[in-house]
Amino acid sequence: MRYAQLVMGPAGSGKSTYCSNLVKHAEDSRKVINVVNIDPAAEYFDYEPLADIRELIHVDDAMEDEDMKFGPNGGLVFCMEYLLENSDWLKEQLGEDVDDDYILFDCPGQIELYTHMQTIRQLTDLLKNWNFNICAVFLVDAQFMVDGPKFLSGTMAALSVMVNLELPHVNILTKMDLLSKSARSKLDNYLDPDPQYLLTDIEACHSKWGRNHHRLSEAIGRIIEDFSLVRFIPLDLRDDENVADVLMTIDNILQYGEDADVKTKDFEYPDENDREDSFS
């Protein structure tokens, strides 16, 4: 069995930084985690990828084509569809089916690919056929989630991804280290959502939309709480213990290492003659 995290999220959510930090954390723990970049628009990352979609197709290839004339979003969608049509390339790059392989797939920052399009779901079906256990990891910038309306919006986006992909799923709040103390204190009230608190915060914004759609906001908040549909795990990449806890949570979901043989050490009983000599 091979294991994979599908690392997703809006642009600027810190997907590549998350991947590179997990690779370093694994090295310190004497583990090996590889990363596959499937973002055809990536400009920079500080990990050495096992495979890079830009060697197959770059978003500029689609945007500069005189016949297609795609924009940035259309170009990204075309590149992902092109990857699926050339899945043999990806399979070759992933190499032989080696037990306990652990791979992070660094996905594009176009949220439509996850919320309602089928491209990423088709990719996960391929990976399952290639003997991968997969966990979807959805990243959201914590700075985006520090008031009621934005938190509700981010929660609904995460829920859309969960429903669309139908995979074991973890939602992570990144960039916690960039929050001020007051923002962090406010965010703590959202990590275990209280619909009444959210509604109070939404009403405090004094927006006409919030007043007119109060009952809708209340219904959404209660659905989220009553069915425990969406929960977020805060992540501070400066805190090694926090990183280890997040990785352990995902590993448990993936059942990573459960098939590994228990390491034992043979115990040698002392020879009877030696024991007699020691007492003489």
Side-chain angles (χ1 to χ4, degrees):
M1 181 62 67
R2 309 173 83 178
Y3 303 90
Q5 291 186 33
L6 207 63
V7 184
M8 306 168 292
S13 58
K15 297 184 299 299
S16 295
T17 303
Y18 169 86
C19 290
S20 61
N21 274 270
L22 253 60
V23 169
K24 294 173 184 174
H25 179 83
E27 288 175 353
D28 294 340
S29 305
R30 297 183 179 179
K31 297 179 182 178
V32 177
I33 294 181
N34 290 304
V35 186
V36 171
N37 174 50
I38 55 173
D39 182 0
E43 295 181 356
Y44 171 78
F45 43 74
D46 59 356
Y47 56 78
E48 186 65 34
L50 177 66
D52 188 347
I53 189 178
R54 297 176 302 176
E55 296 177 3
L56 176 69
I57 187 170
H58 195 285
V59 69
D60 290 343
D61 299 332
M63 293 175 59
E64 294 172 2
D65 187 281
E66 295 183 359
D67 295 326
M68 294 186 290
K69 297 180 180 178
F70 284 121
N73 290 338
L76 276 172
V77 173
F78 176 83
C79 290
M80 297 307 295
E81 292 175 345
Y82 188 83
L83 174 64
L84 292 173
E85 292 171 1
N86 295 271
S87 58
D88 289 343
W89 174 87
L90 179 59
K91 188 173 184 179
E92 181 181 347
Q93 296 295 311
L94 293 176
E96 303 260 337
D97 184 354
V98 179
D99 283 345
D100 290 343
D101 263 4
Y102 201 126
I103 299 176
L104 311 179
F105 288 86
D106 189 358
C107 298
Q110 187 178 3
I111 196 169
E112 295 94 330
L113 291 169
Y114 321 117
T115 54
H116 60 274
M117 297 184 70
Q118 294 298 305
T119 313
I120 297 296
R121 179 160 184 164
Q122 291 168 11
L123 176 62
T124 62
D125 290 341
L126 270 178
L127 295 175
K128 289 177 183 177
N129 290 335
W130 296 343
N131 202 31
F132 275 96
N133 262 4
I134 307 171
C135 179
V137 180
F138 187 69
L139 308 184
V140 181
D141 187 341
Q143 298 172 102
F144 176 76
M145 304 283 277
V146 291
D147 65 55
K150 290 180 180 178
F151 187 87
L152 203 56
S153 173
T155 300
M156 294 306 294
L159 182 57
S160 296
V161 176
M162 295 167 68
V163 170
N164 187 38
L165 296 184
E166 295 184 314
L167 289 171
H169 193 103
V170 173
N171 297 301
I172 295 178
L173 290 176
T174 59
K175 304 183 182 180
M176 291 293 293
D177 53 302
L178 300 181
L179 293 180
S180 64
K181 288 185 178 180
S182 59
R184 191 166 221 173
S185 175
K186 191 172 185 179
L187 188 60
D188 286 341
N189 294 309
Y190 297 144
L191 293 180
D192 189 14
D194 177 357
Q196 195 56 48
Y197 186 91
L198 282 172
L199 287 171
T200 301
D201 206 20
I202 291 171
E203 290 171 352
C205 295
H206 304 296
S207 69
K208 183 178 180 181
W209 195 98
R211 292 192 298 271
N212 292 343
H213 297 86
H214 171 83
R215 293 179 64 186
L216 174 62
S217 300
E218 182 178 25
I220 292 172
R222 294 201 178 281
I223 288 173
I224 292 169
E225 194 218 8
D226 291 346
F227 294 93
S228 298
L229 292 174
V230 181
R231 289 291 185 271
F232 290 95
I233 301 174
L235 175 61
D236 183 346
L237 291 174
R238 300 176 305 174
D239 185 343
D240 288 338
E241 187 174 341
N242 184 202
V243 175
D245 288 344
V246 169
L247 186 57
M248 182 182 297
T249 299
I250 297 171
D251 287 350
N252 288 337
I253 292 172
L254 287 171
Q255 298 179 324
Y256 175 70
E258 290 193 4
D259 295 331
D261 294 331
V262 177
K263 295 182 178 179
T264 60
K265 186 174 181 180
D266 293 334
F267 179 78
E268 295 183 1
Y269 289 93
D271 187 79
E272 289 294 329
N273 293 330
D274 292 339
R275 294 180 63 186
E276 291 176 1
D277 291 342
S278 65
F279 287 107
S280 60

